[in-house]
Amino acid sequence: MSIGEVIKGWNSSKEIAPCIVHMERLEGRGGAYVAIPDFIDGRLMDALRKGGIKQLFSHQGTALEAIRAGKDVVVVTPTASGKTLCYNLPILNDKLRDPSVRAIYLFPTKALSQDQMVELQGLIEAAAEPISTFTYDGDTPQDARRAIRAKGDIVITNPDMLHTGILPHHTKWITLFQNLKYVVIDELHTYRGIFGSHMTNVLRRLRRICDFYGSRPQFICCSATIANPGELAEKLVERPVELIDQNGAPSSEKLFLFYNPPVVNEELGIRGSHIGAARNLSYPFIERGIQTIVFGISRLNVEVLTKYLKDRVEGEKGNRDIVRGYRGGYLPRARRDIEKGLKKGEVLGVVTTNALELGIDIGRLDVCVIAGYPGTIASTWQQAGRAGRRSGLSLAVLIGRSLPLDQFLMENPDYFFGKSPEHGLINPDNLLILLSHIKCAAFELPFKDGETFGRENLHEILEYLEEKGVVHHTGDRWHWMQDVYPADGINLRSVSEENFLVVDITGSPKGKVIGEVDFTSAHTTLYEGAIYISESELYQVEKLDYENRKAYVRRSKADYYTDAVSYTDVSILEGFEEKRECGTSVEHGEVAVSTKVVGYKKIKFYTSENVGYGKVVLPDQQMHTTSYWFTFPRKMLEDVPFNRWEIIDGILGMAYALHYIASLHLMCDINDIQRSVGDRGARWFARLSRGSRGVYKSSTGMEEVSIDGIDPFEPTLFIYDNYPGGIGLSPQLFDGHREILGNTLRLISRCGCRSGCPSCVGPTGQLGTKSKGIAIALLERALEDGED
C-alpha cells in the first residue's frame, strides 16, 4: 500500500478524518542546473562523474564563484539540497592546486562530524589524491592526535573541541594556523542563544590566533532556512558575508497534514494524547515497509513512544528491531548502528528527539510524523524535510498538543505556511560570556594595549582581571598569571557542569555505562526512584552519586514512568528600565533564578494515570539572567471583585498563556524563555504542586505562607531569558508590553473551553474554575487603563 492509499483510508475514516484540520500540497519542482566550472581540477571532475554528478545545482555554482572570488558566504537551502558540495568542491580544488592549503570544518555535534567525514573521504578517494582528512574530537585517541596536528590537511571538529583542544594549544598546530585558508561552519542556524553567543567569541579567538600566525581564513557557512541567515552569519564571523539562498535542487511532491487529536473532555478542553496519535498514524507505514521517522518533543516522549511501537510490531510482526529509538545520551556505537540500519533499510521506523533534525545521513525517508510542535517554524520545516526523495510522494504530519502554540497553529495554519521562520538571536557581548572568553584569549596570547575583543571596553575588563590576580600588565602587554586552564571550565552550550554517567548494576556491582545525561537534565531524570528509559528498556535509579556524577540503575519491570515536579523562584537584582503602561509597573533588568526539584509523579503507561508520588532531595540550581516583569498595583486589585486566591489563580493562568504569546512575539523557541509569578521584593512566589497552587516563602521554597498576611499584595509576573546572563530577549518584551497583553487576551478569550484548558490558561485541575474569567478580567482592566 502506498502513502497515497494510506491517506485515502484516513480521509474515509470516521475517527481520523475529522482530526485532519489542514492539508497543504507542496508541489514538486524541477532543478536549476549550471555546468561544472572550467576552473575545477580535472581529477575532481572525474570524481564527480564517477558519483553520477555531471552538472551542479545553480546555488552550488553561485557558491563556487563567490568562494573563488575570496568572499565569505552563507548558503541557505533546504535539507538534502547538496550544501555539502558547496564547500567540499572549492576547498579540495584549491588544495589540489596548492598543497599547503589547510581547512577546518566545524559541525555542532560529534555525530555530524563523523558523518560528513565519510562523504568527504569518498570524494577524495574518487579523486585518487592523498589529501589527509581527520576528525578531531573528544573520542580521538591521544596517540592519533599528534599525527593529526602534524599531517592534517582538513581537520573536522566541533566548536567545543576547537574551544578546549585546539585554540589553547595553538603552538602545537603551527602548520595548520599558518596555512589556514578556509573555515567551514555547517548548520549555522543551530548557533543561537547561549551556544551562538559563545561561538562568536570562539571565532574571535580563532581570528586572533590566525592574525598572530599571518593567515586570514575565508568563512563558508551553511544553514537551514531562518529569517536572518545573513545577519546571523555576520554576527558570528564579524565580517560582511554574501548570502546565497536561491535553491536550485529539485524536490518531489509533499503532503503536509495538520492533525489535531479529538477533544476527549469538553468541559476541561482536554484533547487526546499526541503520543497515542503519533503511534496510530505512524504504524500503518511501518507495517507496510515504508520508512518513517517520528520526532518527539522530549527524551521521555521518545522513549515512551518507542516502547509503544516496539510492543506493537513485536505483537504483529515479531521483530522489535525494525523500530529504534534515537536521542542524545545513547552511546556512540548504538547511534551509529541505528544510522546504518536506516540507510540500509533494515530499520523501518525511528523515534527521535531533534538529534536527527540536523544533517546526519540516514538516507531519504518517506514519512515524517512530528508529535507536537517543536517550538519554532524553522525546526518544524527542518524535521519535515527528513521525508522526501527527489521523486515520488512524501508525507509530513504535525500533531497538535493541548498547548497554546500547537492549538494556535492548528486553528491558523496559514500563519505557519505563510510566516517566515524565526530569527537566530545571539548576544556575544553578554558580560559573563565575554569575560570567560577574554580569559581564554589571554591564556592563548597576551593582549596588547589598544587591542579590541568584542564591543565592551577591553581595557576596563583587563584591569578588573588584574585586580583579581588573573592577568598582569607589563610594558604594553597583559599576560595570563594563573595555573588554571580557563577553557576547561567553560561549557559552550550551557552553564552545566560535567555530564552524569548512567551505570547499569543489574548483572554486576561494578556495572556498565549505558548512557549519559547533561547536568541540568540529571536533576529531572536521575533522582533516586526515577525510571530511566533507554531504547524502551526500563531502569530504576537506586543511587545517585551527585558528587562523582554517577547514577546507578537496575532493570525494572515497572508499569509506569516518572515525571519530576519542580518550582522556580525569581528575585530582582537590578532594574534597567521602568515605565507605567496598561495600569501596571513594567520593568526589565537582571534577576536571580533558583530552581529546585522537590518530587516526582508516577505515570502509568498507556492510561497516563497518576499512581503515586515520591520526594526528591537535590541541590538548587542557580542562574543569573535578564528578565521582563510587570507588577499589578494594589489599587487595581482592590477594584476587582476577586479574593487573593482567585487573583493568584488568574495570574498563574495568564502567565501560562502569556509565556507562549511572548515566544511568538520574539519568534523564539518556547524554551528560550521561562515564567514565574511572585513578589518583586522576593518575599514569596506562587507555584503549582500536586494539582493545587500554593504561595511559598522565597527563602525556603518549602514553607507555605498565609496569603492574607502579605502586605502589600502586589503580584509580579516574570518572563525571563532561560540563559545565564540573558541573550537580549527581555528588552523586546519590555518594548512590546501592550501588544503582548492584547494578544494574550485574544488567545484566552477566543478559546472555546468553559473555564480553562491546556490551550489557554492551563488545565482546570491545576487552577480554580474561575481562573480563565479572572485572567480575562485583569487583562481587560489593564488594557482599559491605557498609559498612565
Side-chain angles (χ1 to χ4, degrees):
M1 185 179 284
S2 68
I3 291 173
E5 288 171 320
V6 173
I7 295 172
K8 186 177 179 181
W10 286 354
N11 288 332
S12 61
S13 165
K14 292 180 180 179
E15 290 77 28
I16 297 177
C19 298
I20 299 175
V21 296
H22 185 78
M23 180 183 293
E24 190 84 8
R25 187 177 293 273
L26 307 172
E27 300 294 339
R29 49 164 282 176
Y33 301 93
V34 296
I36 299 173
D38 293 338
F39 60 78
I40 295 299
D41 190 281
R43 290 163 287 184
L44 276 178
M45 290 271 205
D46 291 340
L48 292 174
R49 291 191 187 102
K50 288 177 188 175
I53 299 173
K54 298 179 181 178
Q55 53 189 344
L56 300 178
F57 299 138
S58 58
H59 63 272
Q60 293 172 331
T62 304
L64 257 67
E65 294 290 351
I67 293 165
R68 189 184 186 216
K71 296 177 180 178
D72 298 314
V73 302
V74 57
V75 182
V76 186
T77 54
T79 305
S81 56
K83 287 192 285 285
T84 304
L85 209 57
C86 292
Y87 51 81
N88 279 343
L89 201 52
I91 291 172
L92 292 179
N93 190 61
D94 206 5
K95 177 67 182 173
L96 291 173
R97 181 188 59 80
D98 179 2
S100 69
V101 165
R102 298 290 187 271
I104 292 175
Y105 284 21
L106 294 170
F107 298 97
T109 66
K110 288 191 291 186
L112 198 52
S113 298
Q114 296 285 351
D115 186 71
Q116 294 297 320
M117 168 78 171
V118 173
E119 185 169 343
L120 178 60
Q121 285 281 25
L123 189 57
I124 291 171
E125 288 171 9
E129 289 298 324
I131 297 174
S132 300
T133 305
F134 301 97
T135 55
Y136 191 84
D137 56 36
D139 297 332
T140 305
Q142 289 295 330
D143 55 352
R145 296 187 181 196
R146 188 177 296 105
I148 295 171
R149 289 193 290 263
K151 301 178 182 177
D153 295 321
I154 299 175
V155 177
I156 301 174
T157 188
N158 54 68
D160 312 85
M161 197 63 180
L162 179 65
H163 160 62
T164 59
I166 296 178
L167 297 180
H169 306 290
H170 59 87
T171 54
K172 297 179 181 179
W173 296 84
I174 292 175
T175 303
L176 174 71
F177 285 115
Q178 284 179 334
N179 299 283
L180 187 61
K181 187 168 182 184
Y182 299 102
V183 176
V184 172
I185 305 174
D186 202 3
E187 307 289 355
L188 179 94
H189 60 282
T190 64
Y191 298 107
R192 50 185 287 179
I194 196 80
F195 191 24
S197 301
H198 276 295
M199 183 63 168
T200 295
N201 284 285
V202 171
L203 294 177
R204 286 169 175 170
R205 289 160 51 200
L206 170 65
R207 292 198 310 275
R208 187 168 178 262
I209 287 171
C210 288
D211 286 344
F212 179 78
Y213 287 106
S215 62
R216 189 182 186 276
Q218 230 176 310
F219 289 93
I220 306 172
C221 308
C222 293
S223 174
T225 304
I226 56 174
N228 64 332
E231 177 191 2
L232 179 59
E234 290 183 350
K235 282 188 175 181
L236 283 167
V237 306
E238 298 184 310
R239 297 205 307 229
V241 173
E242 179 158 321
L243 174 64
I244 299 168
D245 59 357
Q246 296 300 308
N247 177 32
S251 62
S252 63
E253 181 184 12
K254 174 176 284 186
L255 288 180
F256 205 138
L257 306 186
F258 278 21
Y259 181 93
N260 206 12
V263 174
V264 294
N265 186 320
E266 289 191 15
E267 185 175 347
L268 301 180
I270 295 173
R271 293 185 176 274
S273 164
H274 65 289
I275 297 294
R279 175 187 60 195
N280 294 334
L281 294 178
S282 60
Y283 184 73
F285 300 105
I286 296 170
E287 182 183 33
R288 291 163 176 81
I290 299 171
Q291 276 196 302
T292 301
I293 185 168
V294 183
F295 284 97
I297 293 296
S298 67
R299 292 180 175 189
L300 181 58
N301 283 174
V302 165
E303 293 296 355
V304 170
L305 187 48
T306 302
K307 174 177 170 54
Y308 288 172
L309 283 172
K310 278 180 172 283
D311 288 349
R312 187 160 178 182
V313 298
E314 184 178 39
E316 298 186 19
K317 299 182 79 70
N319 183 4
R320 291 173 66 86
D321 290 338
I322 63 171
V323 172
R324 302 293 298 271
Y326 188 105
R327 61 170 175 79
Y330 285 5
L331 298 178
R333 182 177 295 176
R335 292 200 299 268
R336 298 298 85 77
D337 287 345
I338 296 165
E339 292 160 17
K340 287 177 185 175
L342 284 164
K343 284 188 226 179
K344 292 179 180 178
E346 296 166 355
V347 174
L348 296 179
V350 62
V351 186
T352 180
T353 58
N354 60 2
L356 282 179
E357 183 180 307
L358 301 181
I360 296 170
D361 183 10
I362 53 172
R364 299 287 286 168
L365 310 181
D366 300 289
V367 175
C368 173
V369 176
I370 305 170
Y373 178 56
T376 67
I377 292 172
S379 286
T380 309
W381 280 113
Q382 186 81 350
Q383 292 180 9
R386 276 307 196 173
R389 304 170 191 269
R390 296 246 163 96
S391 61
L393 178 68
S394 64
L395 172 69
V397 182
L398 174 63
I399 301 171
R401 294 169 294 167
S402 295
L403 292 175
L405 279 186
D406 295 55
Q407 290 306 307
F408 180 84
L409 293 175
M410 292 294 129
E411 293 289 335
N412 302 276
D414 291 345
Y415 180 92
F416 176 85
F417 289 103
K419 192 78 173 178
S420 66
E422 296 77 9
H423 288 71
L425 300 174
I426 61 173
N427 179 20
D429 294 306
N430 169 310
L431 200 53
L432 292 175
I433 295 172
L434 182 65
L435 183 64
S436 297
H437 288 279
I438 287 173
K439 290 179 184 178
C440 295
F443 175 88
E444 290 153 6
L445 289 169
F447 276 107
K448 301 175 186 175
D449 284 345
E451 192 174 344
T452 59
F453 192 96
R455 294 196 300 267
E456 297 294 330
N457 187 316
L458 178 61
H459 186 81
E460 288 183 3
I461 294 173
L462 290 171
E463 284 184 332
Y464 166 79
L465 292 176
E466 186 175 36
E467 289 174 11
K468 299 293 182 182
V470 175
V471 298
H472 178 65
H473 189 231
T474 303
D476 63 347
R477 296 284 195 277
W478 299 83
H479 297 270
W480 181 255
M481 289 291 293
Q482 295 191 331
D483 294 331
V484 297
Y485 173 56
D488 254 0
I490 302 167
N491 187 321
L492 298 187
R493 298 164 197 263
S494 69
V495 289
S496 296
E497 302 174 35
E498 64 268 29
N499 290 353
F500 282 72
L501 295 179
V502 182
V503 182
D504 178 15
I505 56 172
T506 304
S508 162
K510 290 185 178 179
K512 65 174 182 177
V513 175
I514 59 170
E516 60 181 333
V517 176
D518 66 86
F519 178 84
T520 302
S521 299
H523 288 72
T524 55
T525 55
L526 295 180
Y527 44 84
E528 291 177 3
I531 297 295
Y532 175 79
I533 312 177
S534 178
E535 280 265 47
S536 80
E537 292 290 341
L538 272 60
Y539 302 84
Q540 186 162 36
V541 179
E542 291 197 351
K543 180 185 176 184
L544 178 62
D545 184 348
Y546 194 88
E547 185 176 341
N548 293 308
R549 305 294 190 255
K550 288 183 180 178
Y552 296 94
V553 303
R554 195 180 298 275
R555 282 183 184 268
S556 171
K557 294 184 179 179
D559 61 353
Y560 64 87
Y561 59 92
T562 50
D563 190 15
V565 177
S566 63
Y567 72 75
T568 298
D569 178 26
V570 179
S571 56
I572 299 168
L573 299 177
E574 181 183 359
F576 298 155
E577 283 187 273
E578 181 178 3
K579 64 182 177 181
R580 293 279 300 177
E581 188 174 70
C582 298
T584 59
S585 172
V586 191
E587 297 179 71
H588 77 92
E590 187 178 357
V591 297
V593 179
S594 176
T595 302
K596 186 175 183 64
V597 179
V598 294
Y600 61 91
K601 297 179 286 187
K602 298 177 182 179
I603 311 295
K604 197 165 185 177
F605 285 114
Y606 295 101
T607 66
S608 297
E609 294 174 79
N610 190 334
V611 294
Y613 293 92
K615 187 177 180 182
V616 174
V617 180
L618 285 175
D620 295 5
Q621 293 176 270
Q622 305 284 343
M623 172 175 73
H624 284 197
T625 185
T626 53
S627 178
Y628 140 83
W629 64 88
F630 59 96
T631 302
F632 293 90
R634 181 192 305 192
K635 187 176 185 308
M636 176 191 288
L637 301 182
E638 287 174 349
D639 290 345
V640 294
F642 310 117
N643 65 43
R644 290 186 172 188
W645 277 119
E646 290 171 336
I647 288 170
I648 289 293
D649 282 345
I651 295 176
L652 284 170
M654 182 194 304
Y656 178 89
L658 191 142
H659 183 183
Y660 289 92
I661 290 296
S663 74
L664 276 178
H665 180 84
L666 294 166
M667 296 186 73
C668 72
D669 190 295
I670 188 70
N671 295 310
D672 289 342
I673 52 179
Q674 285 297 341
R675 66 182 185 270
S676 181
V677 172
D679 171 53
R680 70 181 316 283
R683 294 171 303 154
W684 60 269
F685 67 94
R687 69 176 171 91
L688 299 170
S689 177
R690 300 196 183 184
S692 64
R693 77 286 191 255
V695 174
Y696 297 84
K697 187 179 289 187
S698 291
S699 58
T700 66
M702 299 299 291
E703 184 181 343
E704 197 160 358
V705 300
S706 169
I707 195 169
D708 293 324
I710 297 172
D711 186 35
F713 178 68
E714 294 186 324
T716 299
L717 195 162
F718 297 87
I719 301 289
Y720 58 88
D721 290 23
N722 199 23
Y723 298 105
I727 54 168
L729 301 178
S730 299
Q732 297 180 59
L733 297 178
F734 175 82
D735 292 339
H737 178 65
R738 171 179 289 279
E739 181 184 347
I740 291 165
L741 293 191
N743 286 335
T744 303
L745 175 59
R746 276 187 282 277
L747 172 69
I748 298 173
S749 61
R750 292 179 183 179
C751 184
C753 68
R754 297 179 192 174
S755 54
C757 73
S759 301
C760 59
V761 297
T764 5
Q766 293 184 350
L767 299 169
T769 56
K770 295 182 180 180
S771 62
K772 178 178 180 179
I774 295 167
I776 291 172
L778 289 173
L779 286 165
E780 286 177 340
R781 176 60 191 274
L783 290 163
E784 282 170 6
D785 281 355
E787 295 187 15
D788 294 334

